Amino acid sequence: MKQLDDSQLPRANVTVRVSHSTLNYKDALAITGRAPIARSFPMVPGIDLVGVVEESGSPMYQPGDAVLLNGWGVGERHWGGLAQRARVDADWLVPLPTAFSARDAMAVGTAGYTAMLCVMALERHGVTPDRGEIVVTGAAGGVGSFAVAILARLGYQVAGVTGRMGEAPYIMELGASTVLDRAEFTAPGRPLQKERWAGAVDVVGSHTLANVCAATRYRGVVTACGLAGGMDLPASVAPFILRGVTLAGIDSVMCPREERIAAWNRLATDLDLGKIPHIAREIGLSEVIATAPALLDGRVRGRVIVNVDS
């Protein structure tokens, strides 16, 4: 933790007084050094931020505007949100929807926004609630928690997968009808398995994603947005050429601004804000470094909001 002067902020056209940020998996990797997330040093981590515009060199925003930011390489190539001020490109910002307080917006953060992108992709490919059950891997984590909550609110039947079966009551409370042990998905499986899922939200990758694809129903859709289990995909083409399964990649980092705004507007209507206290907890900026290893080790449920003033 260091005290910085405004003159040290990177060059960009909007300065934001940050009120809250988050601690994401990518942030934890950067902070602990377990993966080369930070592309240069010094680097302020934090792929999310919310706050109020203090200075603007862009006609898109005026001082006093409430804004949020997810991705765009902040916390990797450009100083991020785990500080009281950030200087960023206006094109990276999204107006804070009036439905959200600053704290609730960061409870949602990149995780909830990514989950919404996955749901929108399922819808775009024609996966409606009457098509059948949706499986969500990593259901006790940030993206998984929000995916379960959003899908359940929209009327889908949801199966949550977790490696922490003690979290089953939490996942059921979010709206899942079934909770499955991750062990069923992590070992190598047959290239084509019994048809189970109309769709999927996968945050794990590797054998888990391969097994989900192998058990997806005819013309089902699998959205892939994470690699917590590995970057490899030990799968076959069988689900894709014999069942017409679609594997849809979800990128939240460089997603176009129009789609970001659409996703946040959907979150304002399709997420039960009453679920947020169950999904997120708040820590102070001074606690971030100690919390990062616990997040990577799977000892953190849901989301971590960071109050940058404490």
Side-chain angles (χ1 to χ4, degrees):
M1 294 280 289
K2 289 187 177 181
Q3 195 77 24
L4 298 173
D5 186 86
D6 281 7
S7 64
Q8 296 172 270
L9 291 171
R11 291 184 179 179
N13 58 1
V14 178
T15 302
V16 178
R17 174 61 172 91
V18 180
S19 65
H20 297 81
S21 184
T22 61
L23 181 63
N24 291 279
Y25 191 83
K26 188 179 285 187
D27 301 322
L29 287 173
I31 291 165
T32 60
R34 294 191 193 180
I37 299 299
R39 308 299 173 87
S40 62
F41 293 92
M43 177 59 61
V44 176
I47 66 172
D48 290 328
L49 65 86
V50 66
V52 174
V53 173
E54 284 194 332
E55 299 177 13
S56 176
S58 166
M60 295 172 66
Y61 297 102
Q62 301 300 318
D65 288 347
V67 293
L68 61 86
L69 186 152
N70 312 110
W72 290 117
V74 299
E76 301 177 69
R77 297 182 296 273
H78 189 95
W79 284 15
L82 286 169
Q84 293 172 324
R85 277 187 178 81
R87 188 169 290 144
V88 298
D89 193 306
D91 290 334
W92 302 345
L93 295 168
V94 170
L96 177 66
T98 56
F100 293 106
S101 67
R103 186 184 185 281
D104 283 352
M106 288 296 95
V108 176
T110 286
Y113 149 66
T114 302
M116 192 72 245
L117 290 176
C118 290
V119 173
M120 290 165 64
L122 291 173
E123 293 174 338
R124 194 161 55 244
H125 287 283
V127 181
T128 52
D130 61 323
R131 288 277 301 277
E133 196 169 19
I134 309 296
V135 64
V136 176
T137 64
V143 175
S145 293
F146 279 105
V148 171
I150 295 166
L151 287 164
R153 183 176 173 86
L154 291 173
Y156 292 86
Q157 185 179 2
V158 183
V161 178
T162 182
R164 295 173 279 167
M165 288 303 289
E167 299 287 9
Y170 161 75
I171 297 168
M172 298 287 283
E173 188 175 5
L174 294 178
S177 54
T178 309
V179 179
L180 303 172
D181 195 320
R182 183 177 62 195
E184 297 181 32
F185 297 82
T186 52
R190 297 191 309 276
L192 210 57
Q193 301 171 25
K194 180 181 178 181
E195 295 182 62
R196 301 177 70 180
W197 321 116
V201 175
D202 178 66
V203 305
V204 180
S206 193
H207 288 291
T208 296
L209 177 55
N211 284 317
V212 166
C213 290
T216 297
R217 295 180 180 180
Y218 182 74
R219 306 209 79 174
V221 179
V222 177
T223 60
C225 63
L227 44 73
M231 290 187 66
D232 60 323
L233 181 56
S236 83
V237 298
F240 311 112
I241 64 173
L242 298 179
R243 291 184 182 161
V245 169
T246 296
L247 179 58
I250 305 299
D251 167 50
S252 62
V253 177
M254 304 302 291
C255 180
R257 186 171 185 271
E258 295 75 17
E259 193 168 344
R260 291 169 180 267
I261 293 174
W264 275 99
N265 287 339
R266 285 287 304 274
L267 283 162
T269 58
D270 295 343
L271 175 65
D272 180 358
L273 299 185
K275 300 288 188 186
I276 285 179
H278 302 289
I279 297 174
R281 66 184 179 95
E282 183 176 310
I283 64 173
L285 189 61
S286 60
E287 301 171 80
V288 165
I289 294 172
T291 307
L295 191 152
L296 294 182
D297 294 341
R299 293 181 281 117
V300 174
R301 170 205 285 181
R303 295 281 293 153
V304 179
I305 308 164
V306 179
N307 184 334
V308 299
D309 290 320
S310 62

